[in-house]
Amino acid sequence: MGTLLGAGCAFAYSLTILFGRSLANDGFETATVLSLRFGVAALATFVLLKAMRRPLLPVAGERMRVFLLGAIGYAVESSFFFAGLKRGSAAAVVLLFYSYPAVVTVIGRLWSKRTPLTLGLSIGGAILVVATGGDVHISRAGVIFALAAATTFAFYLLASERLVERTDSLTTAAWVAAGASLSLLGRGLVTGTLQSPAGHLPQLLGNGLASGTAFALMFMALRRIGPRRTAIVM
């Protein structure tokens, strides 16, 4: 079940990459795209929580942790990734970003006898997808942003698994999305980079719904198979 959840998360994230690249090509800035992406994700997840009669708030003692995972951890990671998409093809950014399973394994000291094989398959799979997926190009700045996103996401996965243990996975997903949205909205207001979403609402809504799905599935997978296996499956 953990493997299936991780694979579903990867599929949902792949949709956000396609939406993100398209919006980046259309000239949208980071704060606009990502604040709306995570805002839609949070709203949709809260509606689902209400419909399923599951807790809307994280458990006491974990509320600030969950919020900050989004407001700092995921907001930073997603900003790096989107900056990479603005400076290279989606295939190139994905290839560099998917070095994060190795980072998770090394910094989390999650090594076993089969780890080299699984990491090799994981990285080889990413290379195969990129090699058969068309144009691959990226600037030096794009490389730096993509690798920064990979490193940040690795720390985010490890922190999520260790800091949030008792809160419902779907509740965690909602509050991480809300934290990221508010953080990026504030940044956009301060820097004056917010843009009108007119003409691109279907893409922006699809981006948010895919993000909400990915968040929920990722936290469910983390609970079942831990950060190293989740990273490799994704």
Side-chain angles (χ1 to χ4, degrees), residues 9-194:
C9 174
F11 177 76
Y13 270 130
S14 72
L15 296 179
T16 71
I17 294 169
L18 295 175
F19 284 124
R21 177 61 179 164
S22 174
L23 291 164
N25 284 340
D26 289 338
F28 274 86
E29 296 297 329
T30 303
T32 301
V33 172
L34 298 183
S35 62
L36 284 171
R37 170 187 169 185
F38 298 128
V40 171
L43 181 60
T45 310
F46 278 123
V47 169
L48 184 59
L49 284 168
K50 186 69 173 177
M52 296 174 67
R53 297 183 178 180
R54 288 166 72 168
L56 295 178
L57 289 174
V59 300
E62 292 186 352
R63 292 172 185 172
M64 186 56 68
R65 297 177 193 176
V66 173
F67 182 79
L68 291 178
L69 276 174
I72 298 176
Y74 210 83
V76 171
E77 181 276 327
S78 59
S79 296
F80 282 144
F81 192 91
F82 190 77
L85 286 177
K86 290 175 73 71
R87 292 165 174 82
S89 65
V93 176
V94 167
L95 175 60
L96 293 166
F97 177 72
Y98 275 91
S99 61
Y100 77 80
V103 181
V104 169
T105 301
V106 172
I107 66 177
R109 298 179 182 179
L110 303 170
W111 207 263
S112 71
K113 292 181 180 178
R114 290 188 293 178
T115 298
L117 174 62
T118 54
L119 282 176
L121 290 171
S122 174
I123 295 170
I127 293 172
L128 179 62
V129 169
V130 172
T132 59
D135 189 29
V136 178
H137 62 86
I138 192 168
S139 69
R140 290 182 181 178
V143 170
I144 293 171
F145 280 124
L147 292 176
T151 303
T152 309
F153 192 65
F155 279 103
Y156 168 80
L157 279 178
L158 291 167
S160 299
E161 194 257 348
R162 295 174 184 179
L163 296 178
V164 184
E165 298 177 343
R166 295 175 291 129
T167 299
D168 181 90
S169 298
L170 205 56
T171 307
T172 300
W175 281 94
V176 166
S181 178
L182 290 173
S183 174
L184 289 156
L185 179 62
R187 177 176 134 192
L189 290 171
V190 170
T191 58
T193 55
L194 291 179

